[in-house]
Amino acid sequence: MIKSENIKVCVFDAYGTLFDINSAVNKHIEKLGENSEAVSSIWRQKQLEYSWLRSLMCQYTDFWKVTQEALDYALNSCGIENNKLRGELLDAYMHLDCYPEVEEVLKDLKEKGIVTAILSNGSPEMLKAAISSAKLTDYIDVVLCVDDIKVYKPDPKVYKLVTDKFNISKEEVLFHSSNSWDVAGASSFGFQVAWINRLDKQKETLPFKPDMEAKSLNEVSKVFK
Amino acid sequence: MIKSENIKVCVFDAYGTLFDINSAVNKHIEKLGENSEAVSSIWRQKQLEYSWLRSLMCQYTDFWKVTQEALDYALNSCGIENNKLRGELLDAYMHLDCYPEVEEVLKDLKEKGIVTAILSNGSPEMLKAAISSAKLTDYIDVVLCVDDIKVYKPDPKVYKLVTDKFNISKEEVLFHSSNSWDVAGASSFGFQVAWINRLDKQKETLPFKPDMEAKSLNEVSKVFK
């Protein structure tokens, strides 16, 4: 259960939560044909895996480079050698669609006087481009990214960027993520956490649980009404 | 290229490299039926993922607990609720088969005066049981595990257990692993590394490469002849 009366800042993960990561591949589905689904899912899986492994290895490189390395793995796994298409997919990732309810939810929170922020693995350039092309600039107060601390989620140093920035306690943050591992990290850190389980994914068997599970951001914003 | 004249210690990853992780599920293939392959691959994938996530979250728990959490996820994903079978699978994981060439390779290295060691995420109890049931006790000089430092591979602190234990330089270690992410971690740390690519898996697109790729441990041990 979310204790909404305590919440001062609503923080959103970016990729998969605000922005539809499958929309990059969907824009080029005709060129990818039967490989579309595999490219999209392997690209994402490797992007996460490489971000975790590089954090653990103390070999941070920014998320744009991680995204490129992961796409190369995905294209290799489907036997696709096509530099032009590679460039187009990366460009599409730079300008992802956001999910349909996002603008309305952010606007609503702003009207209620709640501060909004993004906390993402994305590089500053990636986040700037995504926010701008999804026309969300007016609804996001603060963008926090990992580039200054050179480590990825779910390292607690990442979640601490929020409490340091706003000088608030962990319980005063409502963190939203579609990514179950990010939910575990934020819950382990001590945030109140909503799991936006858009695709009805299986629950993790880790002991760090969300305070709420919802199908879309709409359901969460209702706790403030 | 391996510089074999420099090697003082041959270090082996355990799970997937010496011990056949699929052998746990294979012992119960009749009970698992068409779910066998999915249970084995999801079990392994989640075991790795949870070890990485727990390291990053600073939420270490030993590998036996991680292995149980991962198995629960895998069984849930196949809709299997069967506590007896769960117990049997865990018991089988405690007593995995080793790959056919392992004993001969270790014996050969020992005869050549090369020190042999295991460096594994496994808990002390798991490693003791696996080494004993695979009858490898006489051929392994040292077993190093992460339980003292409470973090998993590929954190460089894990690989440093080897150089600290033997008081040797990184280049004097030949590290063997079947796991491409472990190969990346060991290479990034500075070991000489052999990737035992038993299942002809796809190359990672990370910049940390093995010095040698082989189908089995036999091929690597030949560099000492």
Side-chain angles (χ1 to χ4, degrees):
Chain A
M1 272 294 288
I2 304 284
K3 290 179 190 144
S4 60
E5 65 279 14
N6 296 347
I7 306 296
K8 292 192 176 152
V9 181
C10 276
V11 180
F12 298 85
D13 167 57
Y15 296 104
T17 304
L18 299 180
F19 305 113
D20 180 357
I21 43 178
N22 289 315
S23 68
V25 160
N26 287 343
K27 281 176 189 157
H28 300 281
I29 206 158
E30 285 181 18
K31 294 168 209 160
L32 286 162
E34 63 184 12
N35 290 312
S36 300
E37 217 169 295
V39 167
S40 200
S41 73
I42 297 170
W43 189 2
R44 176 59 171 172
Q45 183 57 37
K46 276 289 156 183
Q47 184 193 43
L48 297 177
E49 198 178 304
Y50 285 177
S51 72
W52 300 332
L53 292 173
R54 280 183 168 276
S55 287
L56 286 168
M57 292 192 277
C58 309
Q59 290 282 8
Y60 178 87
T61 190
D62 82 16
F63 204 58
W64 188 234
K65 176 78 175 155
V66 169
T67 301
Q68 291 176 62
E69 288 176 347
L71 176 58
D72 288 336
Y73 185 98
L75 293 174
N76 290 348
S77 80
C78 295
I80 299 168
E81 276 184 65
N82 183 335
N83 255 329
K84 184 162 176 281
L85 179 56
R86 178 185 186 274
E88 288 167 344
L89 287 166
L90 287 170
D91 186 63
Y93 205 95
M94 199 55 120
H95 303 96
L96 295 169
D97 296 339
C98 71
Y99 287 101
E101 82 279 17
V102 170
E103 184 178 333
E104 190 192 322
V105 166
L106 292 174
K107 200 173 167 183
D108 185 45
L109 290 172
K110 296 279 295 165
E111 281 169 6
K112 286 174 178 149
I114 292 166
V115 178
T116 58
I118 287 178
L119 178 69
S120 171
N121 279 341
S123 71
E125 297 75 21
M126 289 172 79
L127 291 170
K128 198 175 163 191
I131 292 165
S132 165
S133 62
K135 300 190 173 52
L136 299 180
T137 314
D138 291 347
Y139 310 115
I140 299 286
D141 295 315
V142 172
V143 178
L144 297 167
C145 70
V146 302
D147 221 42
D148 291 335
I149 54 171
K150 311 266 183 250
V151 73
Y152 288 109
K153 296 180 193 173
D155 190 304
K157 287 192 286 294
V158 179
Y159 303 106
K160 194 169 173 290
L161 288 171
V162 175
T163 47
D164 286 353
K165 171 73 185 178
F166 294 104
N167 194 25
I168 55 180
S169 71
K170 296 167 180 180
E171 302 76 18
E172 291 173 320
V173 175
L174 177 55
F175 184 78
H176 306 66
S177 183
S178 296
N179 298 295
S180 52
W181 57 272
D182 189 19
V183 165
S187 169
S188 158
F189 180 72
F191 286 157
Q192 295 196 59
V193 182
W195 181 22
I196 315 304
N197 191 5
R198 297 184 182 281
L199 305 172
D200 202 21
K201 288 208 172 160
Q202 190 184 329
K203 284 182 174 60
E204 301 294 345
T205 47
L206 290 166
F208 318 108
K209 307 291 184 194
D211 301 280
M212 179 180 178
E213 185 179 333
K215 290 261 176 238
S216 80
L217 292 168
N218 271 325
E219 289 179 50
V220 188
S221 68
K222 283 179 195 153
V223 305
F224 295 103
K225 274 170 193 165
Chain B
M1 273 294 288
I2 304 285
K3 289 179 191 144
S4 60
E5 65 279 13
N6 297 346
I7 306 296
K8 291 192 176 152
V9 181
C10 276
V11 179
F12 298 85
D13 166 58
Y15 296 103
T17 304
L18 298 180
F19 304 113
D20 180 357
I21 44 178
N22 289 315
S23 68
V25 161
N26 286 344
K27 281 175 189 158
H28 299 282
I29 207 158
E30 283 181 20
K31 294 168 210 162
L32 286 162
E34 62 184 12
N35 290 312
S36 299
E37 219 169 294
V39 167
S40 199
S41 73
I42 297 170
W43 189 3
R44 176 60 171 171
Q45 183 57 37
K46 277 289 156 182
Q47 184 193 43
L48 296 178
E49 199 178 304
Y50 285 177
S51 72
W52 301 332
L53 292 173
R54 280 182 167 277
S55 286
L56 286 167
M57 291 192 278
C58 309
Q59 290 282 8
Y60 178 87
T61 189
D62 81 16
F63 204 58
W64 188 234
K65 177 76 175 156
V66 169
T67 301
Q68 291 175 63
E69 289 177 345
L71 175 58
D72 288 336
Y73 185 96
L75 293 175
N76 290 347
S77 80
C78 296
I80 299 168
E81 276 185 65
N82 183 336
N83 255 330
K84 184 162 174 283
L85 180 55
R86 178 185 186 273
E88 288 167 342
L89 287 167
L90 287 170
D91 186 64
Y93 204 95
M94 199 55 117
H95 304 95
L96 295 170
D97 296 338
C98 71
Y99 288 100
E101 83 278 18
V102 170
E103 183 179 335
E104 189 192 322
V105 165
L106 292 174
K107 200 173 167 184
D108 185 45
L109 290 172
K110 296 280 295 165
E111 281 169 5
K112 286 174 178 149
I114 293 166
V115 177
T116 58
I118 286 178
L119 177 69
S120 170
N121 279 342
S123 71
E125 297 74 22
M126 289 172 80
L127 291 170
K128 198 176 163 191
I131 292 165
S132 166
S133 63
K135 301 190 173 50
L136 298 180
T137 314
D138 291 347
Y139 309 116
I140 299 287
D141 295 314
V142 173
V143 178
L144 298 167
C145 70
V146 302
D147 221 40
D148 291 335
I149 55 171
K150 311 265 183 252
V151 73
Y152 288 110
K153 298 180 192 174
D155 190 304
K157 287 192 285 294
V158 180
Y159 303 106
K160 193 167 174 290
L161 289 171
V162 175
T163 47
D164 286 353
K165 172 72 186 178
F166 294 105
N167 194 26
I168 55 179
S169 71
K170 296 168 179 180
E171 303 77 17
E172 292 173 319
V173 174
L174 177 55
F175 183 78
H176 307 64
S177 183
S178 296
N179 297 295
S180 53
W181 57 271
D182 189 18
V183 164
S187 169
S188 158
F189 180 72
F191 286 157
Q192 295 196 59
V193 183
W195 182 22
I196 315 304
N197 190 5
R198 297 184 182 280
L199 305 172
D200 201 21
K201 288 210 173 159
Q202 189 184 329
K203 284 182 174 59
E204 300 295 345
T205 48
L206 290 166
F208 319 107
K209 307 291 184 194
D211 300 280
M212 180 181 178
E213 185 180 332
K215 289 261 174 239
S216 81
L217 292 168
N218 271 326
E219 288 180 50
V220 188
S221 66
K222 283 180 194 152
V223 304
F224 294 103
K225 274 170 192 163

